[in-house]
Amino acid sequence: MLSAAEKKSAQVYRWLLAYIDENKFSGNQRLPSENALCRKLGVSRETIRVAIDRLVNEGIVYKVKGSGTYFHREKVMTRDLNTEDALYKIGLVLQGQDTSANSGLIEGVRSVLTQEQVDLHVFLTDNKFCNERRCLETVVHQNFHGFIVDGVKSSILSPNLDCYKELYRRKIPVIFYNNFYRNLRCPRVTINDIECAHQLIERLMDAGHSHIAGIFVYDNYQSVEKFQGMAEAMRNRGLELNDDYIKWCISDEAHNESYVRSIERFLKSIPKCTAIVCCNYIIYRLVMKTLQKMGKTVPEDYSLVCFDYSEETYRQEDVTCSVEQGFEMGRQLALRLMEMISTGECDDRNYTYVMKPILYDGHSIRKIKKVK
């Protein structure tokens, strides 16, 4: 019988295997530090070291003095790190950049796909085409029954469509969420982002705002739809959408703290601006840091709304936003994928599901004139 210390070490070992499996297609090959693992897993440093030493002895990871512990990508690619004995093997391919949204989605998927039923493999792409391709080219030969995917830079023609067509040829069903490729016949689960944009922008216009700025990600299909909804909402009220008031960025910029300087220059270039639309939670955090740096406050200096707020703090921050629905989206994805697997369907035959947005009305919008 294993001692308590040995059981804890085995649990850490399995957690690290899952972490490596999740990251083997991303750009990250480094394990979290020992201190970070102690905090996250609630175990001693000695327990962490025993688990890591086991991985070192198996040739899965190696240590670099003064740098950290890394895993061998090539070795990991050629072995199955998950040994669950389940009926189905499902791949969940995430962009991986919004950890809060990912956590909710995974919980939703697992609420339907139990461990006894499904061996769930989570992969991160870092929203990069090369990582997505590496993932798809590898897993297509590993007897997966189906895939749930958040498409990479989906507003751009993907160079990886051939990989998805190969999955289709092999009759392996794929269902997308949030970002999908229009060139494929796969179903998807999405939020009605155009309707959501109408509701958020109308709240600003009802409060008298007409000089409204928006920050959007142009290689993200979701973000493009949000922009379209903003344009429609303003046009319906007879307001001009001035190009100078729209800032476009790529996904990599949106996840870089240095982008704060670019946002500051943008806001200073439009002095009449009274309101800001943030296309997602990550942009929202950067905008808030920018305003703090500028000595500006919400809503006194700028009114602000945000799409897809993915933390649980929107009530504390009191921001008017659409609330990210990761858990329910994960549940819907799992239900639909399992139905596709059971029927042998790969085409979209009424499996697509568009969710209604959920809005929270905070106090981040200042009324600047009476509504007539």
Side-chain angles (χ1 to χ4, degrees):
M1 179 178 287
L2 294 176
S3 66
E6 288 172 328
K7 286 181 180 178
K8 285 184 179 180
S9 175
Q11 289 173 345
V12 174
Y13 170 82
R14 288 193 296 272
W15 188 93
L16 288 170
L17 284 180
Y19 178 88
I20 292 168
D21 196 24
E22 183 177 306
N23 283 273
K24 66 184 177 184
F25 298 109
S26 76
N28 175 37
Q29 286 181 255
R30 183 177 178 176
L31 299 185
S33 68
E34 290 182 0
N35 286 336
L37 289 170
C38 290
R39 289 193 299 270
K40 183 171 185 64
L41 303 178
V43 296
S44 70
R45 200 160 189 165
E46 180 59 29
T47 299
I48 299 294
R49 286 175 176 169
V50 170
I52 290 177
D53 286 344
R54 181 177 171 185
L55 291 171
V56 170
N57 292 335
E58 292 175 359
I60 296 173
V61 305
Y62 61 96
K63 296 180 179 180
V64 177
K65 191 172 182 180
S67 178
T69 305
Y70 299 80
F71 63 85
H72 292 279
R73 191 191 303 278
E74 295 76 15
K75 187 174 182 68
V76 168
M77 292 289 195
T78 58
R79 72 175 272 175
D80 189 355
L81 295 178
N82 197 321
T83 57
E84 295 289 340
D85 183 17
L87 294 174
Y88 300 99
K89 188 174 180 181
I90 303 298
L92 176 56
V93 184
L94 312 174
Q95 289 185 12
Q97 294 166 318
D98 188 336
T99 54
S100 296
N102 291 336
S103 296
L105 185 110
I106 292 170
E107 287 179 15
V109 170
R110 286 189 166 141
S111 73
V112 175
L113 309 181
T114 64
Q115 285 188 333
E116 295 76 17
Q117 180 189 27
V118 170
D119 181 4
L120 183 67
H121 289 245
V122 180
F123 307 119
L124 305 182
T125 65
D126 296 334
N127 199 29
K128 295 185 185 300
F129 287 130
C130 60
N131 294 335
E132 181 187 48
R133 187 170 196 86
R134 188 185 296 122
C135 173
L136 296 173
E137 287 182 337
T138 303
V139 299
V140 72
H141 306 293
Q142 295 184 356
N143 300 316
F144 278 81
H145 294 87
F147 292 92
I148 297 169
V149 181
D150 188 2
V152 169
K153 298 180 174 69
S154 56
S155 65
I156 301 173
L157 184 61
S158 172
N160 298 331
L161 295 182
D162 59 316
C163 296
Y164 288 105
K165 289 175 181 177
E166 178 61 18
L167 290 173
Y168 182 86
R169 189 187 71 78
R170 291 171 177 258
K171 300 189 183 305
I172 302 173
V174 175
I175 185 166
F176 287 92
Y177 72 96
N178 287 342
N179 293 286
F180 59 95
Y181 304 123
R182 286 192 168 277
N183 310 73
L184 302 174
R185 294 182 288 180
C186 303
R188 59 191 181 271
V189 175
T190 60
I191 303 289
N192 190 332
D193 285 314
I194 291 180
E195 177 187 339
C196 184
H198 276 262
Q199 294 183 29
L200 284 174
I201 307 309
E202 283 168 2
R203 280 161 168 74
L204 290 172
M205 295 186 295
D206 287 344
H209 295 274
S210 57
H211 294 88
I212 304 171
I215 303 177
F216 298 93
V217 182
Y218 72 74
D219 57 2
N220 180 296
Y221 188 78
Q222 266 188 299
S223 185
V224 171
E225 285 206 325
K226 293 166 184 174
F227 166 73
Q228 290 175 342
M230 176 179 176
E232 286 181 11
M234 294 182 69
R235 186 169 63 247
N236 291 344
R237 292 286 187 95
L239 296 179
E240 179 186 51
L241 181 68
N242 189 327
D243 285 47
D244 293 341
Y245 278 68
I246 302 299
K247 183 170 184 59
W248 292 100
C249 65
I250 61 173
S251 303
D252 292 344
E253 289 176 320
H255 294 84
N256 191 325
E257 292 289 326
S258 65
Y259 197 58
V260 165
R261 292 193 295 273
S262 183
I263 296 173
E264 181 178 4
R265 289 194 298 270
F266 167 62
L267 294 177
K268 287 181 176 179
S269 74
I270 47 174
K272 291 184 179 180
C273 172
T274 60
I276 306 168
V277 178
C278 303
C279 74
N280 58 38
Y281 173 74
I282 294 169
I283 292 289
Y284 165 78
R285 299 300 334 164
L286 291 176
V287 168
M288 292 301 291
K289 287 182 180 180
T290 303
L291 296 180
Q292 184 179 24
K293 182 173 179 285
M294 296 171 64
K296 304 294 184 181
T297 58
V298 175
E300 291 77 15
D301 298 301
Y302 289 100
S303 293
L304 189 147
V305 297
C306 170
F307 287 89
D308 300 333
Y309 198 108
S310 56
E311 295 279 359
E312 294 294 327
T313 54
Y314 57 89
R315 287 187 176 87
Q316 292 94 309
E317 297 210 16
D318 210 15
V319 58
T320 296
C321 61
S322 66
V323 180
E324 196 272 334
Q325 301 179 61
F327 182 89
E328 179 60 19
M329 183 171 282
R331 199 177 73 85
Q332 293 294 338
L333 286 161
L335 289 170
R336 282 162 169 72
L337 180 63
M338 292 308 294
E339 186 176 349
M340 292 172 71
I341 291 171
S342 67
T343 59
E345 294 281 2
C346 289
D347 289 310
D348 183 8
R349 299 193 179 178
N350 299 317
Y351 294 116
T352 286
Y353 181 60
V354 180
M355 300 170 61
K356 289 187 175 296
I358 296 176
L359 267 66
Y360 172 78
D361 285 301
H363 293 85
S364 61
I365 299 175
R366 179 171 63 93
K367 199 168 185 177
I368 59 176
K369 69 176 183 180
K370 292 183 179 179
V371 179
K372 295 182 180 180

